[in-house]
Amino acid sequence: MPRPPSPAALRVPVRALVERTLVRRLRREVARRPVPRHVGIIMDGNRRWARSLGVTDARFGHRAGADHLDDVLGWCADTGVRAASVYVLSADNLAKRAGDEVAFLLELLRTTIPDRVSRPGGLWALEVSGAPDLLPDDVTRALKDAADATRGRPLRLTLAVGYDPYREIVEAIRCVLDDAADHGLGALAAAELVSADAIDEHIASPRNDIDLVIRTSGEQRLSGFFPWRSANADLEFCDVYWPAFRELDLLRALRTWGRRHGA
């Protein structure tokens, strides 16, 4: 007679079965409620995820995180989310992180992410928000080529790359004042034109307000994530590291948002 499997051997299949059951139930529940049109994602915890597996090389975590974006965008599309804005690399990251780590992140931005986004049959049109002058020319060119290749797709993906929240708002105000100067207005008259609506028109991207911001890894801060567009967003802080973020976690966040905003 064959020996029965040990409790430890049964634990993983049982857990996977329970998770699949929960996902199916959550999909039905989310489908009955309002869904945020625009979701912001702060992908945090790649390095800590790698260390939790006993891997000290941060590149392992960053590679897994870049690969995982594909899965999460697919789940977002399945639920009816129309736009996603994702924090990839801030101007502060470029200045403060170790050189070899930044070099690897830039290589992912030059190769892996553009390749994944621009594959034939994809749904997401790519936009990039940030400061191109902070990036190597080949990275900027690869991202621009991917944006050109995906133009006209039904869903919109904005990547924050070399992004500085202060610079974004300052540049928008400067644009308002430049417009006033082009029309021959003096300083006092130009100042009268600086309004929330006028600034809003010059915020480069994303083009619409974010409804829900999700941050992984358990950190409860926004870290300068699109402050103009996130001003009225709901916030969900998820304890799992980004590469371990599951469809179950996304659906729970969407369910919470739907309960708040449902009729």
Side-chain angles (χ1 to χ4, degrees), residues 85-97:
S85 293
V86 180
Y87 217 163
V88 178
L89 190 64
S90 69
D92 196 53
N93 293 149
L94 286 170
K96 294 182 178 179
R97 288 198 178 184

Side-chain angles (χ1 to χ4, degrees), residues 99-114:
D100 56 345
E101 184 179 359
V102 169
F104 185 73
L105 288 168
L106 292 172
E107 182 64 14
L108 291 176
L109 283 165
R110 187 184 69 83
T111 57
T112 301
I113 292 179

Side-chain angles (χ1 to χ4, degrees), residues 218-241:
E219 298 290 341
Q220 296 189 14
R221 51 196 168 90
L222 290 178
S223 300
F225 180 76
F226 293 121
W228 190 269
R229 294 298 184 210
S230 297
N232 295 308
D234 289 13
L235 307 178
E236 288 289 334
F237 300 107
C238 182
D239 287 337
V240 302
Y241 300 134

Side-chain angles (χ1 to χ4, degrees), residues 10 29 31 33 56 67 83 86 90 108 110 129 134 147 158 163 165 179 181-184 197 204 207 212 216 223 241:
L10 285 172
E29 188 171 350
R33 298 180 182 275
T56 57
D67 291 341
V86 180
S90 69
L108 291 176
R110 187 184 69 83
S129 185
L134 297 179
T158 301
Y163 177 78
D179 288 348
D182 290 342
H183 288 84
D197 288 341
R207 288 171 284 171
L212 170 66
T216 59
S223 300
Y241 300 134

